Amino acid sequence: MDNITHSIIGFGVGELVHRSLPAEADAPAQRARHRLLLVACALASNFPDLDLFLTQLLPSPLGYLLHHRGHTHTALWAIPQALLLAGLLWLLWPSARALLRASRPARLGLALSIVAGFALHLAMDYTNSYGLHPWYPFDGRWYYGDMVFIVEPLFWVAIGVPMALIMRWRVPRAAGLAALFAALVFFAARGYLDWTSLVALLLIALICGAAQWRAGPRGRGGLMLALGVSIAFLGVQQMTSPAARARISAELQSQHPEARVLDVAMTAFPSQPLCWSYVSIQADGEHYWLQRGVARLGGATCPAGLTVSPQTQTGSLPELRALKASDCHVDAWLRFGRMPLLQDGALSDYRFATTPRGNFTTLRIAPSPCPADIPAWGYPRADLF
């Protein structure tokens, strides 16, 4: 997910943890705990993305492809990261250190906030089609949720509106709500968000905001409702994604009955469970096919800004296998590539062929020294080799 979403979710969960614990002995301690838990959970919700500093360890694009969502996005390495974050907060925040020495609820809240933040980061990154390998080194396979768009405004609305209403300062509160509304209208006007979805999001904002307003200064009704709405949304996405995939797979199999459907990567449209873009891969003995398109469930109208025309690309399996065996850069790239397209002397992942700034996965095939210390992630397309 994008880091705005990670941050909003972190702040919301930190606030919920704070409001679920017994109050501190006095108002200053209560305010200190409030700040500590919000900051801790928001930082934990973003901390794994510090792996972006590791991307220089390998030549482009391998550094980004193999180190982003790499070791810091695993359950095992979340443990030292959590301890590091807790240690930094202890060392660099004197008032928090004093509070933690004196208050058991504050210590419990800090532990819950940090654990929840790291768990939510991995869980939310899992939900989209980019994937991660959370169980490395025990299991190097990539796991793909294929159910949520990488920028999902529902989380902004459901969690962000109650959090804005909790703020004591009126001007930042009004500015935050106005910025959120403007962003939603902008996305709808640019064709990234369906107008019906916009109305639904505004209704969710109104309901969650009203629930939090009615809950009072220490209430958590709006936050709990926001959490329920978010979980329900993920449940709907998890149901409709396999339904759309099954429909696509059946159509592909009818088009090429001689070829196996190896995979269908699903990308949701923002806040629209009935619209999905996809990239599929099929293979027979010598060739494979990559196809992109849009699946509409129930005759839904999909936003024009994210709708792509159906396209098909073909590749040679013997050529791809030979390059894997002879070129160490290609072999390393294939530890990331889910939809490999070999074309014009370059290898790229067809999932990202339509990104606004070009396909960031593109590897130009040219002789060069082999890079060292390639992470041992599993090959997403091991079934081709």
Side-chain angles (χ1 to χ4, degrees), residues 96-114:
R97 184 166 63 247
L99 173 67
L100 292 169
R101 283 189 177 125
S103 171
R104 184 176 180 276
R107 293 192 294 271
L108 175 61
L110 179 63
L112 291 174
S113 296
I114 290 178

Side-chain angles (χ1 to χ4, degrees), residues 121-146:
H121 187 105
L122 299 187
M124 296 310 297
D125 277 358
Y126 161 75
T127 61
N128 54 59
S129 63
Y130 192 104
L132 72 166
H133 22 73
W135 311 122
Y136 183 84
F138 311 106
D139 180 0
R141 288 178 296 173
W142 286 81
Y143 289 83
Y144 309 97
D146 284 0

Side-chain angles (χ1 to χ4, degrees), residues 245 249 252-253 259-265 279-284 287-290 317 321 338-340 380-385:
R245 178 184 283 109
S249 298
L252 293 172
Q253 199 66 67
R260 293 180 299 140
V261 178
L262 301 179
D263 194 8
V264 181
V279 175
S280 62
I281 183 167
Q282 291 176 273
D284 62 12
H287 300 89
Y288 66 96
W289 293 265
L290 295 166
L317 284 175
R321 290 166 180 162
R338 186 180 179 186
M339 299 290 172
R381 288 275 66 84
D383 46 13
L384 290 179
F385 311 122

Side-chain angles (χ1 to χ4, degrees), residues 47-317:
F47 211 81
D49 282 341
L50 290 176
D51 61 10
L52 291 171
F53 290 105
L54 303 177
T55 59
Q56 301 303 313
L57 296 177
L58 292 171
S60 178
L62 296 178
Y64 184 87
L65 302 183
L66 297 179
H67 281 301
H68 181 47
R69 297 207 186 181
H71 293 91
T72 62
H73 286 68
T74 64
L76 182 63
W77 280 95
I79 298 172
Q81 289 180 90
L83 294 174
L84 174 61
L85 176 57
L88 290 173
L89 291 171
W90 175 272
L91 291 172
L92 301 178
W93 198 337
S95 61
R97 184 166 63 247
L99 173 67
L100 292 169
R101 283 189 177 125
S103 171
R104 184 176 180 276
R107 293 192 294 271
L108 175 61
L110 179 63
L112 291 174
S113 296
I114 290 178
V115 170
F118 277 99
L120 284 167
H121 187 105
L122 299 187
M124 296 310 297
D125 277 358
Y126 161 75
T127 61
N128 54 59
S129 63
Y130 192 104
L132 72 166
H133 22 73
W135 311 122
Y136 183 84
F138 311 106
D139 180 0
R141 288 178 296 173
W142 286 81
Y143 289 83
Y144 309 97
D146 284 0
M147 58 181 167
V148 176
F149 192 67
I150 197 166
V151 179
E152 178 46 67
L154 179 129
F155 302 119
W156 299 4
V157 166
I159 300 173
V161 170
M163 286 299 297
L165 295 177
I166 286 170
M167 295 178 65
R168 292 179 296 165
W169 303 283
R170 293 183 179 179
V171 173
R173 176 198 303 167
L177 292 174
L180 176 58
F181 178 75
L184 295 178
V185 172
F186 173 79
F187 291 149
R190 291 294 300 269
Y192 302 141
L193 183 66
D194 185 67
W195 288 102
T196 303
S197 299
L198 173 62
V199 173
L201 290 173
L202 294 177
L203 182 60
I204 290 171
L206 181 63
I207 294 172
C208 291
Q212 187 58 44
W213 190 265
R214 293 185 61 183
R218 285 195 49 81
R220 52 183 184 170
L223 294 172
M224 293 295 291
L225 181 59
L227 180 62
V229 168
S230 299
I231 293 173
F233 173 73
L234 290 174
V236 171
Q237 296 292 107
Q238 193 170 26
M239 289 189 295
T240 55
S241 178
R245 178 184 283 109
R247 175 177 164 182
I248 294 165
S249 298
E251 292 177 356
L252 293 172
Q253 199 66 67
S254 66
Q255 294 170 8
H256 300 284
E258 76 286 358
R260 293 180 299 140
V261 178
L262 301 179
D263 194 8
V264 181
M266 306 292 294
T267 299
F269 278 55
S271 303
Q272 173 50 288
L274 301 180
C275 289
W276 298 84
S277 62
Y278 70 89
V279 175
S280 62
I281 183 167
Q282 291 176 273
D284 62 12
E286 296 293 323
H287 300 89
Y288 66 96
W289 293 265
L290 295 166
Q291 180 171 310
R292 69 167 54 257
V294 172
R296 298 172 173 84
L297 298 178
T301 301
C302 302
L306 295 175
T307 300
V308 296
S309 302
Q311 297 177 8
T312 301
Q313 302 284 350
T314 59
S316 166
L317 284 175

Side-chain angles (χ1 to χ4, degrees), residues 319-330:
E319 184 179 4
L320 187 62
R321 290 166 180 162
L323 276 172
K324 180 183 183 300
S326 63
D327 191 313
C328 55
H329 290 82
V330 170

